[in-house]
Amino acid sequence: MSDWEQVSVKHAGGEDHLLENGTGSGSETVFACGKFDSKKRPKKGDKYDITATPKDEIFAMDWTATCTFSGETSEFKVE
């Protein structure tokens, strides 16, 4: 399980970020991140574009995943 920094989450294909400069853990297949504002939490079952930088690395990685748990810390899974 990896630690991630500079995490951003937005609706797949959308422009508005629900999370910017967050932190996360996991892999590109199962990933948890936060801290989401109570008014900007992802919706369970919806797809989101995630951008994150592995801890102590320079280059960010991008992937699309489905929200499996929505909260202050939310979980996503690639299906």
Side-chain angles (χ1 to χ4, degrees), residues 31-67:
F31 184 77
C33 62
K35 196 172 190 180
F36 286 92
D37 183 278
S38 62
K39 296 176 185 165
K40 287 186 150 190
R41 292 191 178 152
K43 184 177 176 185
K44 185 177 176 182
D46 284 0
K47 290 192 179 293
Y48 295 88
D49 292 331
I50 299 169
T51 300
T53 304
K55 187 174 181 180
D56 300 323
E57 297 289 332
I58 297 171
F59 299 105
M61 299 178 70
D62 301 306
W63 64 96
T64 301
T66 302
C67 179

Side-chain angles (χ1 to χ4, degrees), residues 1-59:
M1 193 171 279
S2 299
D3 290 330
W4 301 79
E5 302 174 320
Q6 300 173 353
V7 178
S8 69
V9 176
K10 63 181 180 176
H11 287 282
E15 296 296 322
D16 292 332
H17 286 87
L18 301 178
L19 176 67
E20 290 184 278
N21 205 27
T23 57
S25 63
S27 66
E28 295 102 292
T29 54
V30 178
F31 184 77
C33 62
K35 196 172 190 180
F36 286 92
D37 183 278
S38 62
K39 296 176 185 165
K40 287 186 150 190
R41 292 191 178 152
K43 184 177 176 185
K44 185 177 176 182
D46 284 0
K47 290 192 179 293
Y48 295 88
D49 292 331
I50 299 169
T51 300
T53 304
K55 187 174 181 180
D56 300 323
E57 297 289 332
I58 297 171
F59 299 105

